[in-house]
Amino acid sequence: MFLVTFQIVGLVRMSRWPVIVQTVMVLGNVAIQYATNPHWTDRYPIFGVFAVIIPLVAYLACTLPHWRKMNWALLGRSYRRAEDQAEIFA
């Protein structure tokens, strides 16, 4: 439940960390699965790697276009355009 909350809050507040955490977790799970059972995709290959990689690619396709606007704060901070930041910090 914590991970889901972190994903939601972090992405809404434009943090880069949920994207990195999710990608590492998915790729780590694939690596562990393959290391413990190297033939896990032999019988049903479409339900193997592709069932995990395709959702990850879709997730990254939705989030990576916003990468330059995102920040490195753990839970993020609300996104403000450069004009708004100039008013705040002036």
Side-chain angles (χ1 to χ4, degrees), residues 2-13:
F2 171 75
L3 185 63
V4 173
T5 305
F6 174 67
Q7 289 284 329
I8 292 169
V9 172
L11 289 176
V12 167
R13 296 182 61 83

Side-chain angles (χ1 to χ4, degrees), residues 5-65:
T5 305
F6 174 67
Q7 289 284 329
I8 292 169
V9 172
L11 289 176
V12 167
R13 296 182 61 83
M14 301 293 285
S15 173
R16 291 177 178 166
W17 287 110
V19 178
I20 293 169
V21 169
Q22 184 72 20
T23 305
V24 168
M25 284 183 56
V26 168
L27 295 178
N29 287 338
V30 169
I32 290 169
Q33 180 67 24
Y34 188 74
T36 56
N37 184 8
H39 302 289
W40 69 302
T41 60
D42 287 352
R43 189 164 181 190
Y44 303 107
I46 195 66
F47 297 114
V49 175
F50 298 113
V52 177
I53 298 299
I54 290 174
L56 178 62
V57 169
Y59 171 76
L60 292 175
C62 292
T63 55
L64 290 182

